[in-house]
Amino acid sequence: MSVGTGIFLSALLLSAVILFAVTKDRWNWKRILKWGLLLPTTLALSLGVGLYIYDWQSDRPVPQASFNNIPITATPADVKFLKGAPTYKEGDDQWLYNDNYEQEVSKPATYIVKFKDSQIRYIMYLSGESSRYHPYLLGFSEGSSYEGVQTKLGIPSHTSQSYDELNRIISYDKLNVFFSFREGSVYAYGIYQPKFGPLKFQSKFQRESD
């Protein structure tokens, strides 16, 4: 502390003592001190509660209306306009778009757009052998854990398990999202239209729980 600062603080303390001595019989110092402490404390608590509520609200998952810049309400014509011609098709109702980040790998990451009655049934990202970039969905991506997804999103609306019990798909109707897991980690994920039902393994031996 410098000499100047010491002199200033001493003068400030002396002024407070003099003010109290002069006004102690005329001013209600107990009330002044009470409000002087209560008001800042109340303001600090209000600010803390407000920040907590804001943080809680901003971290809440919200329904997803698009994925890979494709709205879930898009028509086949809309998808072709937005993304161009598909890399290839599996029938007329399933279009596949290879990701362009790693063209040298034999199995690049792929976006799958599945249609039903000329409407999008789901949009899925399949990581393939890509190791560089994976899009995020509600804060999750390729490799996210099974426990981590359910800790944040809660109990899924539907769970489909493969017959060999090696894979699971969990779907959330209120959020329009699904995640596929292998060895406890996400390897495919995307959005879907709940009106068409959740994603399920196609084997007749599948095990499901609603």
Side-chain angles (χ1 to χ4, degrees), residues 52-198:
Y52 174 80
I53 293 175
Y54 173 79
D55 184 64
W56 177 71
Q57 288 283 356
S58 62
D59 195 46
R60 290 183 64 189
V62 296
Q64 300 298 290
S66 65
F67 191 47
N68 191 31
N69 296 320
I70 303 174
I72 193 65
T73 56
T75 64
D78 294 332
V79 174
K80 187 174 290 187
F81 172 73
L82 292 169
K83 310 304 293 186
T87 307
Y88 58 97
K89 295 182 180 181
E90 293 182 352
D92 292 331
D93 62 350
Q94 186 159 296
W95 297 3
L96 293 88
Y97 290 87
N98 286 349
D99 204 337
N100 295 322
Y101 283 94
E102 290 184 325
Q103 298 181 0
E104 68 276 9
V105 300
S106 59
K107 292 183 179 180
T110 303
Y111 286 95
I112 302 172
V113 184
K114 179 74 172 180
F115 297 99
K116 183 175 183 179
D117 300 330
S118 296
Q119 300 178 65
I120 290 180
R121 162 110 167 76
Y122 63 78
I123 305 170
M124 176 191 292
Y125 175 79
L126 186 61
S127 58
E129 296 178 355
S130 175
S131 60
R132 293 184 184 175
Y133 168 81
H134 303 287
Y136 280 85
L137 183 62
L138 290 178
F140 301 105
S141 184
E142 195 270 342
S144 294
S145 70
Y146 185 72
E147 294 78 9
V149 172
Q150 294 197 73
T151 296
K152 181 176 181 179
L153 303 185
I155 299 173
S157 309
H158 185 275
T159 299
S160 179
Q161 182 166 276
S162 61
Y163 175 68
D164 58 12
E165 300 181 340
L166 296 177
N167 301 272
R168 290 182 185 178
I169 302 174
I170 61 175
S171 305
Y172 292 87
D173 287 347
K174 292 183 178 180
L175 299 174
N176 308 332
V177 299
F178 66 90
F179 299 88
S180 298
F181 297 86
R182 181 191 300 124
E183 297 181 358
S185 299
V186 171
Y187 71 90
Y189 49 100
I191 64 174
Y192 70 104
Q193 292 216 52
K195 68 179 181 180
F196 292 129

